[in-house]
Amino acid sequence: MAAGMKTIIALSFVLAIGFLLVILSSALWKNYFPLLVVATYVIAPLPNWICGRCANPDDFMDNAGNAIIDFGRFATGFLVIMGVALPALLAHSGIIETSAMVMSIIGGLLIYGTIISFTMFFQEEQDF
């Protein structure tokens, strides 16, 4: 898929809306715990990327399996679920408001979706 200037602009707009929602969920109620969601969504793709690099996909005789790739996917999934569950936990315990939780979850999902879309659109083609 060829990613052009419109793709970059659209992804930047969605990312800005996601950050705006998370920052507003913190600033409107003067409680900055929802900003932890940004950290979880920013570091969420890292285990998948690191484990994908460590797996060495160029080896044709590799019969060892892909346990390292599965671990990377598990760690990424854990961080994404933590990004959704952390605001819910904070709202349940009364640390943040419910509306701040909703804004934080929606903003976090927009941030993570933008990161995933960016990696899909700008992925390099691998030739043999």
Side-chain angles (χ1 to χ4, degrees):
M1 243 188 245
M5 187 59 80
K6 289 182 182 181
T7 306
I8 294 172
I9 292 171
L11 288 175
S12 299
F13 181 72
V14 173
L15 184 67
I17 295 295
F19 276 120
L20 178 70
L21 282 173
V22 173
I23 290 171
L24 282 178
S25 72
S26 300
L28 289 178
W29 289 274
K30 295 178 180 65
N31 191 349
Y32 294 97
F33 282 111
L35 285 179
L36 295 173
V37 172
V38 174
T40 60
Y41 281 115
V42 168
I43 64 171
L46 290 179
N48 207 8
W49 179 70
I50 291 170
C51 293
R53 294 288 178 192
C54 293
N56 193 11
D58 295 332
D59 193 10
F60 291 114
M61 301 302 289
D62 187 26
N63 293 329
N66 55 358
I68 189 81
I69 294 175
D70 290 340
F71 175 73
R73 290 179 182 159
F74 173 77
T76 298
F78 174 77
L79 289 170
V80 169
I81 296 299
M82 189 174 81
V84 173
L86 185 63
L89 176 75
L90 291 173
H92 179 73
S93 63
I95 296 174
I96 64 173
E97 300 289 326
T98 305
S99 51
M101 173 197 73
V102 171
M103 288 175 68
S104 179
I105 289 174
I106 292 172
L109 289 175
L110 286 174
I111 292 168
Y112 185 69
T114 303
I115 293 170
I116 293 299
S117 299
F118 182 80
T119 57
M120 282 178 26
F121 282 120
F122 297 103
Q123 189 175 15
E124 294 179 5
E125 296 290 327
Q126 294 183 359
D127 293 331
F128 289 107

